[in-house]
């Protein structure tokens, strides 16, 4: 980040956010870009009218004073020379209480326009909605208007019209003034003509509207009778100082609250997850710096400036509004902060932001009572208000500094994850020895396999040699419960993890992830680990848990190879742009009353037009239909890219040393609607017609899979299909390079998903959609051929034994000394059904202790409801 970027955040970004908010809702209501620009221009000019009126008055007073001083100043300049002239002028100016720097006041209106112009320029030149949109004779608002074209020559009329209006307005404003006073305004009109001539016509149209508004205002003012000068400052100068102090104290409180405390809490809890994997990774603390600069610009610069220029008018409102906003903001965040689940990298909640009417009413009542109390105190006890705001601001600052310190202290621990590049990643596989590959496909749904292979026989053929186990269960509905047993076996089911109550969950989770790689390493195998899931309880893989064992090569792969995707090339810059503004927006949203929060959050877009109208969060895509994918799902593309590039990562070795590779992949978890029938990601994919014409693919052997539940049904099926296609292509690569027959491959999931798609998995007593705990399990052994289906009862905790079978005799858990055995699969299996699926819910815990969690047992056959029971300790 450069100094210019920081100055932009401080001076311009607060104004730009207002532009974005106004345009967002103008377009949401009108659906017309041109009309939205008109609304934007009108709203901005009305908002800043008091500011400009006061600036014009100050400017007029400054010019009048200069006019009064000019004759004597000119006389001194003619009569004296050198140092004597300078001393005489200084003495004269001091006597008249005038400083040459006061001449800046005569250009105050012009100076105020600069940040507003930069904000408008930045917003409208990058606005995607202008692309291809017409306005009257202008065919594309993202390009110069080209209203007159003769051959290869074209003339842009809109900038010329803008300049003419600007000159007329300037002439009216400076009527009666000497030509010297008009030169600056004429020069600026010429500057805007040259600067904006080749700019997008949408931007020129906006600035032309501003000039029209200024012209109308100047005409009205010129026809109004001159008013007698009024006192421009409060009669009670002491009271005015107290008011100013209250404004700044409240602004300081708001700055540290929404610009530092709230964002720093997010960074502290999830600094690793906030690293921009779409570009060169940077410390998330930089987003925090931008957030506090935007807050300071808003509450310590622009609002006090507005108050100072209109303290005898609208500015008086701020003396009450700022303390009310600061105190209610603290109360809303501390006492009414609702958790809507885990925040994604883009500060989007996993769950929709929805409040009950009763919650909104109660929260609004508390806010109104607090507001009334603060108004009363400002009127009667201003000194007390001053003390309260300062004290609370200091307390919030202390909490923020604590968060920042912990983040700075802990962040370097994560640097290992991003130290590798594409060239560093190597997955050894041998042509002479044996290979074992375990691919843990997060949330890959077992029941899809027959339908995928029915639709794509070519993919089914690529899975030659595999055995399919449909009668498989996982030990929970989410990764945090299901993945430890996949890597470590039955000792790491939720029930057995809870039995070790004196150890932290994070330590037991990391231990589980190391079991299988360590056993293979102990037996002389060349071991590689890719993207270990929930390692160190991080949303992104953290391979550093293996750093103490030099025999294990561990890599972060997802995100490292993003450069190989054309679709992801621009995501990194867009990600930074979003977070540089959204940390402040998130903080501001969280301190507001409930009824306002959804409008500020707006489905996770925070009224960022380029995001909301191009990239829609998955939680809200049902509104677009079950077959449509607005924008791109970047996380899906990043995960699928790993599967697509596995062949490039393999290091073929012609040695007898055996190789073990275990990989976790999110393609089937971060699901997306894909363009059919190729099942590839596409900007704004729409499968409505294709799905309607091919619904028969969801019926196999007379059994129809339910596909009418939601967007998720289609997104999951299509993402699972794409994963199978990519894996099948990799299997062909292994065949072509003599690596298939000597490789044991296990494809397993940590859990499924409750989508209600399979009638024979919907249980009523106990109430459970077994699809949520029915993970995929596909196993290909050395030299096996054909495709078979086994209905043997299995769990995903069998994965370690399946991987080690016939290769390591009597394998032992290297961390507990216990034998890994099939006997653990016999009898009832204890399944944990919890509504707290995320690591953030269990930081610092030793057990899975969801008060609403339910334990169930199952044995032998997951399709038989009689085998499912509630478990009572």
């Amino acid at each position: 980040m450069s100094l210019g970027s920081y100055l932009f955040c401080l001076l311009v970004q607060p104004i730009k956010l207002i532009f974005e908010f106004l345009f967002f809702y103008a377009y949401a209501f009108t659906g017309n870009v041109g009309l939205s620009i008109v609304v934007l221009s009108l709203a901005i000019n009305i908002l800043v009218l008091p500011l400009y009126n006061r600036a014009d008055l100050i400017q007029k007073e400054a010019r009048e004073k200069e006019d009064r001083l000019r004759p004597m100043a000119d006389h001194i300049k003619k009569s004296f020379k050198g140092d004597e002239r300078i001393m005489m002028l200084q003495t004269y100016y001091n006597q008249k209480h005038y400083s040459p720097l006061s001449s800046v006041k005569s250009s105050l209106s012009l100076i105020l326009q600069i940040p507003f112009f930069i904000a408008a320029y930045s917003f409208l030149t990058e606005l995607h909605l202008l692309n291809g949109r017409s306005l009257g004779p202008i065919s594309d608002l993202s390009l110069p208007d080209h209203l007159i074209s003769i051959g290869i020559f074209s003339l842009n009329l809109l900038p010329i019209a803008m300049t003419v209006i600007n000159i007329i307005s300037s002439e009216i404003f400076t009527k009666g003034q000497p030509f010297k006073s008009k030169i600056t305004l004429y020069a600026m009109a010429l500057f805007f003509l040259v600067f904006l001539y080749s700019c997008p016509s949408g931007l020129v149209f906006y600035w032309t509207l501003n000039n029209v508004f200024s012209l109308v205002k100047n005409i009205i003012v010129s026809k109004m009778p001159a008013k007698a000068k009024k006192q421009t400052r409060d009669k009670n100068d002491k009271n005015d100082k107290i008011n100013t102090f209250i404004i700044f104290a409240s602004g300081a409180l708001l700055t540290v609250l929404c610009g530092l405390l709230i964002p720093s809490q997010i960074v502290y809890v999830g600094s690793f997850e906030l690293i921009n994997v779409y570009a060169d990774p940077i410390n998330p603390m930089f987003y925090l710096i931008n957030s506090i600069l935007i807050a300071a610009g808003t509450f310590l610069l622009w609002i006090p400036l507005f108050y100072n220029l209109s303290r005898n008018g609208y500015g008086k409102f701020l003396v009450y509004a700022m303390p009310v906003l600061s105190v209610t903001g603290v109360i809303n965040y501390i006492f009414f902060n609702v958790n809507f689940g885990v925040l994604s990298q883009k500060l989007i909640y996993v769950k929709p932001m929805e409040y009950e009417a009763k919650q909104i009413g109660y929260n609004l009542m508390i806010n109104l009572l607090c507001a009334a109390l603060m108004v009363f105190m400002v009127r009667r006890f201003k000194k007390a208000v001053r003390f309260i705001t300062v004290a609370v601001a200091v307390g919030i600052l202390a909490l923020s500094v604590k968060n920042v310190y912990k983040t700075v202290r802990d962040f370097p621990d994560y640097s290992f994850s991003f130290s590798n590049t594409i060239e560093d990643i190597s997955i050894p596989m041998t042509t002479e020895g044996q290979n074992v590959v375990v691919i843990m496909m997060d949330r890959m749904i077992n029941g899809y396999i027959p339908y995928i292979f029915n639709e794509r026989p070519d993919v089914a053929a690529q899975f030659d040699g595999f055995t399919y186990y449909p009668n498989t269960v996982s030990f929970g509905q989410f990764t945090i419960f299901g993945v430890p047993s996949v890597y470590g076996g039955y000792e790491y089911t939720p029930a057995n993890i809870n039995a070790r109550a004196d150890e932290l969950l994070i330590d037991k989770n990391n231990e589980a992830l190391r079991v299988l790689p360590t056993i293979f390493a102990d037996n002389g195998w060349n071991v590689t680990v890719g993207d270990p899931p929930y390692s160190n309880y991080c949303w992104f893989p953290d391979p550093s848990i293996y750093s103490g064992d030099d025999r294990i090569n561990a890599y972060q792969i997802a995100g490292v190879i993003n450069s190989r995707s054309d679709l992801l090339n621009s995501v990194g810059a867009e990600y930074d742009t979003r977070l540089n503004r959204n940390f402040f927006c998130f903080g501001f949203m969280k301190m507001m009353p409930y009824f306002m929060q959804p409008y500020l959050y707006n489905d996770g877009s925070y009224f960022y037009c380029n995001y909301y109208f191009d990239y829609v969060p998955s939680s809200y895509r049902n509104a677009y239909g079950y077959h449509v994918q607005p924008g791109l799902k970047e996380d899906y593309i990043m995960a699928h890219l790993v599967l697509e590039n596995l062949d490039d990562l393999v290091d073929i070795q012609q040695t007898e040393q055996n190789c073990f590779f275990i990989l976790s992949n999110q393609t089937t978890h971060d699901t997306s609607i894909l363009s059919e029938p190729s099942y590839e990601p596409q900007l704004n994919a729409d499968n409505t017609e294709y799905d309607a014409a091919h619904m028969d693919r969801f019926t196999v052997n007379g059994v129809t899979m339910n596909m009418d539940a939601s967007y998720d049904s289609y997104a999951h099926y299509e993402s699972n299909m794409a994963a199978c296609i990519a894996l099948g292509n990799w299997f062909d690569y292994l065949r072509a390079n003599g690596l298939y027959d000597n490789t044991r491959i296990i494809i397993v999931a940590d859990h499924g998903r409750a989508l209600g798609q399979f009638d024979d998995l919907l249980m009523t007593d106990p109430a459970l959609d077994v699809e949520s705990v029915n993970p995929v399990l596909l196993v290909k052994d050395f030299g096996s051929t054909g495709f078979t289906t086994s209905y043997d009862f299995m769990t995903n905790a069998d994965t370690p034994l399946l991987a080690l079978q016939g290769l390591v005799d009597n394998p032992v858990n290297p961390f507990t000394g216990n034998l890994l055995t099939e006997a653990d699969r016999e009898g009832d299996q204890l399944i944990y059904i919890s509504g707290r699926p995320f690591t953030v819910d269990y930081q610092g815990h030793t057990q899975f202790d969801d008060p609403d969690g339910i334990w169930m047992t199952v044995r032998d056959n997951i399709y038989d409801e009689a085998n499912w029971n509630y478990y009572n300790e």
Side-chain angles (χ1 to χ4, degrees):
M1 295 289 290
S2 64
L3 177 61
S5 299
Y6 292 134
L7 288 175
F8 182 90
C9 286
L10 180 68
L11 302 174
V12 180
Q13 189 64 55
I15 302 172
K16 186 179 177 183
L17 287 175
I18 297 174
F19 275 67
E20 292 174 343
F21 180 83
L22 293 171
F23 185 91
F24 182 95
Y25 280 103
Y27 183 76
F29 282 108
T30 66
N32 183 282
V33 172
L35 187 56
S36 299
I37 293 176
V38 174
V39 173
L40 174 66
S41 176
L42 185 62
I44 289 293
N45 278 283
I46 291 174
L47 283 174
V48 301
L49 183 60
L51 202 65
Y52 282 140
N53 283 345
R54 177 59 182 160
D56 288 345
L57 181 59
I58 293 175
Q59 186 171 314
K60 182 179 179 182
E61 292 174 351
R63 283 203 306 264
E64 290 176 350
K65 188 167 188 177
E66 289 175 1
D67 291 341
R68 292 195 301 271
L69 297 178
R70 187 175 292 109
M72 187 61 186
D74 290 343
H75 175 72
I76 293 174
K77 291 176 183 179
K78 290 180 181 180
S79 303
F80 301 94
K81 295 182 180 181
D83 293 340
E84 190 176 12
R85 174 196 289 177
I86 296 173
M87 292 179 62
M88 291 294 292
L89 282 172
Q90 287 178 342
T91 302
Y92 176 64
Y93 288 150
N94 289 335
Q95 290 175 347
K96 299 299 182 180
H97 306 291
Y98 175 79
S99 168
L101 294 177
S102 299
S103 60
V104 175
K105 293 181 180 180
S106 62
S107 302
L108 188 58
S109 293
L110 187 61
I111 293 171
L112 285 175
Q113 286 188 53
I114 293 175
F116 282 88
F117 172 74
I118 296 174
Y121 182 86
S122 175
F123 171 61
L124 290 170
T125 53
E126 67 185 24
L127 184 62
H128 296 171
L129 282 173
L130 296 182
N131 298 337
R133 301 299 181 92
S134 61
L135 178 66
I138 303 174
S139 59
D140 191 337
L141 287 170
S142 66
L143 301 173
D145 60 74
H146 299 314
L147 288 178
I148 296 179
S149 296
I150 303 174
I152 61 172
F153 176 78
S154 61
L155 182 66
N156 301 326
L157 291 184
L158 200 54
I160 297 173
M162 173 196 72
T163 305
V164 171
I165 296 171
N166 197 355
I167 292 174
I168 295 173
S169 178
S170 300
E171 183 64 31
I172 294 174
F173 181 71
T174 59
K175 185 178 180 180
Q177 297 292 321
F179 180 75
K180 185 178 179 181
S181 302
K182 303 179 181 183
I183 291 178
T184 302
L185 295 178
Y186 292 156
M188 288 305 300
L190 181 60
F191 166 79
F192 280 117
L193 172 63
V194 174
F195 185 79
L196 295 177
Y197 185 79
S198 298
C199 285
S201 52
L203 171 63
V204 183
F205 178 59
Y206 168 81
W207 205 249
T208 302
L209 291 173
N210 281 6
N211 289 343
V212 170
F213 187 91
S214 179
L215 174 62
V216 173
K217 184 193 73 169
N218 289 340
I219 292 174
I220 294 174
V221 170
S222 67
K223 294 185 178 299
M224 294 175 61
K227 295 182 179 180
K229 292 183 180 180
K230 294 183 178 181
Q231 183 75 14
T232 59
R233 298 185 61 85
D234 280 337
K235 295 179 181 179
N236 189 338
D237 189 61
K238 183 179 179 181
N239 189 57
D240 180 60
K241 290 181 179 179
I242 294 176
N243 288 345
T244 301
F245 188 93
I246 288 175
I247 293 288
F248 275 102
S250 300
L253 194 161
L254 290 167
T255 297
V256 295
L257 175 64
C258 78
L260 186 59
L261 176 64
I262 301 175
S264 69
Q265 186 64 29
I266 301 171
V267 174
Y268 169 60
V269 172
S271 59
F272 186 72
E273 286 82 356
L274 291 168
I275 295 175
N276 184 357
V277 297
Y278 306 112
D280 294 332
I282 63 171
N283 193 317
M285 289 297 295
F286 284 104
Y287 302 132
L288 198 59
I289 293 173
N290 289 334
S291 173
I292 196 168
L293 285 174
I294 296 172
T298 303
F299 300 117
L300 292 177
L301 178 64
W302 283 107
I303 289 180
L305 177 63
F306 189 93
Y307 168 74
N308 188 63
L309 292 178
S310 57
R311 68 180 68 206
N312 289 321
Y314 300 111
K316 290 182 178 180
F317 168 76
L318 293 173
V319 178
Y320 298 97
M322 289 290 282
V324 167
L325 184 61
S326 60
V327 172
T328 56
V330 172
I331 291 172
N332 285 326
Y333 179 66
I334 294 179
F335 299 105
F336 291 93
N337 186 14
V338 176
N339 184 2
F340 292 98
V342 168
L343 278 170
S344 74
Q345 295 169 267
K346 303 164 190 172
L347 305 187
I348 302 172
Y349 280 118
V350 171
K351 301 176 183 178
M353 179 178 285
E354 296 174 348
Y355 290 107
E356 297 178 0
K358 181 170 63 176
Q359 289 178 296
I360 294 174
Y362 179 69
N363 173 259
L364 181 60
M365 180 183 69
I366 297 298
N367 274 265
L368 290 175
L369 288 174
C370 291
L373 177 62
M374 287 306 300
V375 169
F376 173 77
M377 291 189 66
V378 171
R379 292 180 67 89
R380 296 294 185 90
F381 307 103
K382 286 187 176 181
K383 292 184 178 180
V385 172
R386 189 169 53 174
F387 173 78
I388 292 171
T389 51
V390 171
V392 175
V394 171
I396 291 175
L397 180 61
L399 293 174
S400 303
V401 170
K402 180 181 178 182
N403 287 340
V404 172
Y405 168 74
K406 289 181 178 179
T407 303
V408 173
R409 180 194 64 189
D410 298 339
F411 183 81
D413 295 339
Y414 301 136
S415 61
F416 176 87
S417 302
F418 296 91
S419 61
N420 57 269
T421 63
I422 299 175
E423 292 74 20
D424 296 326
I425 301 173
S426 173
I427 304 172
M429 294 188 71
T430 176
T431 59
E432 306 302 319
Q434 293 177 310
N435 304 292
V436 173
V437 175
V438 177
I439 300 179
M440 202 287 289
M441 298 299 302
D442 199 323
R443 200 197 284 172
M444 191 170 187
I445 295 175
N446 192 307
Y448 286 163
I449 297 301
Y451 297 88
I452 289 173
F453 288 174
N454 176 68
E455 180 180 346
R456 291 290 298 268
D458 58 319
V459 176
Q462 292 173 315
F463 279 72
D464 178 60
F466 277 86
T467 298
Y468 167 50
Y469 294 92
N471 187 25
T472 302
V473 71
S474 66
F475 291 89
Q477 297 173 307
F478 301 101
T479 299
I480 191 173
F481 311 126
V483 83
S485 57
V486 171
Y487 279 68
Y490 286 91
E491 284 192 81
Y492 300 95
T493 65
N496 288 330
I497 283 178
N498 275 1
R500 295 163 57 178
D502 58 341
E503 302 173 59
L504 290 174
L505 286 174
I506 185 174
D507 295 332
K508 290 177 279 189
N509 180 79
N510 289 346
E511 179 183 293
L513 295 177
R514 295 165 57 203
V515 169
L516 199 49
T518 302
I519 293 175
F520 274 104
D522 288 344
N523 285 272
W525 287 58
N526 193 338
V527 177
T528 306
V529 179
D531 293 335
Y534 272 5
S535 47
N536 272 329
Y537 268 8
C538 290
W539 195 259
F540 278 147
D542 181 6
S544 65
I545 65 169
Y546 301 98
S547 58
D549 192 337
D550 294 337
R551 303 168 303 169
I552 300 175
N553 298 306
Y555 303 104
Q556 160 130 11
I557 303 176
V560 175
I561 57 177
N562 284 349
S563 60
R564 298 194 175 188
S565 170
D566 292 337
L567 291 172
L568 290 179
N569 282 341
S570 62
V571 170
E574 191 271 342
Y575 179 90
D576 279 338
T577 297
R578 187 182 305 172
L579 287 192
N580 281 333
R581 69 185 290 284
N582 283 5
F583 268 102
F584 168 78
C585 294
F586 179 85
F588 187 77
M589 178 268 296
K590 294 297 286 185
M591 56 175 260
M592 300 305 289
Y594 285 167
F595 78 94
M596 295 180 66
Q597 288 187 17
Y599 297 99
L600 297 170
Y601 175 70
N602 212 285
D603 300 352
S605 70
Y606 303 94
F607 52 88
Y608 178 46
C609 302
N610 285 345
Y611 171 59
Y612 185 83
F613 296 106
D614 282 352
Y615 309 94
V616 182
S618 59
S619 302
Y620 303 88
R621 284 176 179 145
N622 282 334
Y624 290 81
Y626 301 158
H627 314 278
V628 178
Q629 176 70 42
L632 296 172
K633 187 76 175 291
E634 299 101 325
D635 292 341
Y636 167 84
I637 299 172
M638 183 173 68
H640 189 261
L641 205 58
V642 175
L643 301 183
E644 288 183 302
N645 287 274
L646 281 176
D647 51 350
D648 289 339
L649 303 179
V650 169
D651 178 15
I652 300 176
Q653 301 184 352
Q654 296 179 340
T655 65
E656 294 186 357
Q657 184 180 20
N658 300 324
C659 298
F660 172 69
F661 172 51
I662 185 168
L663 171 73
S664 171
N665 187 263
Q666 299 281 314
T667 298
T668 47
H669 182 279
D670 299 326
T671 58
S672 173
I673 293 291
L674 305 170
S675 179
E676 295 172 327
S678 63
Y679 292 99
E680 296 177 349
Q682 177 182 306
L683 185 65
N684 300 319
D686 188 346
N687 297 325
T688 304
E689 294 183 2
Y690 184 90
D691 286 339
H694 296 85
M695 290 300 293
D696 57 338
R697 62 191 164 137
F698 300 123
T699 300
V700 174
N701 298 327
V703 179
T704 299
M705 178 169 54
N706 302 321
M707 294 298 293
D708 57 354
S710 67
Y711 161 97
D712 276 344
S713 297
Y714 288 93
H716 277 78
Y717 177 81
E718 292 166 24
S719 298
N720 276 251
M721 171 67 84
C724 288
I725 292 172
L727 289 171
N729 291 336
W730 189 56
F731 299 157
D732 283 347
Y733 164 83
L734 297 180
R735 290 186 181 93
N737 289 276
L739 294 168
Y740 193 72
D741 290 338
N742 67 328
T743 300
R744 174 182 289 167
I745 303 174
I746 301 171
I747 301 172
V748 63
D750 48 352
H751 57 87
R753 184 71 163 178
L755 297 172
Q757 294 177 286
F758 304 101
D759 292 339
D760 55 354
L761 291 178
L762 293 173
M763 307 299 163
T764 56
D765 187 19
L768 177 68
D769 182 356
V770 178
E771 186 180 1
S772 66
V773 288
N774 182 211
V776 74
L777 181 59
L778 292 158
V779 181
K780 186 201 81 67
D781 212 344
F782 303 111
S784 61
T785 59
F787 185 88
T788 59
T789 299
S790 171
Y791 287 95
D792 291 345
F793 177 65
M794 303 290 286
T795 80
N796 56 2
D798 289 316
T799 301
L801 278 174
L802 290 170
L804 294 163
Q805 188 174 26
L807 302 174
V808 178
D809 295 332
N810 301 317
V812 173
N813 185 328
F815 305 105
T816 66
N818 296 325
L819 190 69
L820 276 66
T821 172
E822 289 184 351
D824 293 321
R825 196 193 320 136
E826 299 175 1
D828 289 340
Q829 300 300 313
L830 204 53
I831 314 301
Y832 188 50
I833 308 300
S834 169
R836 290 170 58 184
F838 303 108
T839 56
V840 68
D841 296 323
Y842 291 105
Q843 292 286 352
H845 289 224
T846 59
Q847 293 181 309
F848 299 122
D849 53 4
D850 180 2
D852 298 320
I854 299 172
W855 294 92
M856 293 185 179
T857 62
V858 65
R859 63 163 61 212
D860 300 334
N861 185 358
I862 65 171
Y863 297 93
D864 187 349
E865 187 166 338
N867 289 342
W868 286 91
N869 293 284
Y870 291 110
Y871 174 76
N872 297 312
E873 298 185 57

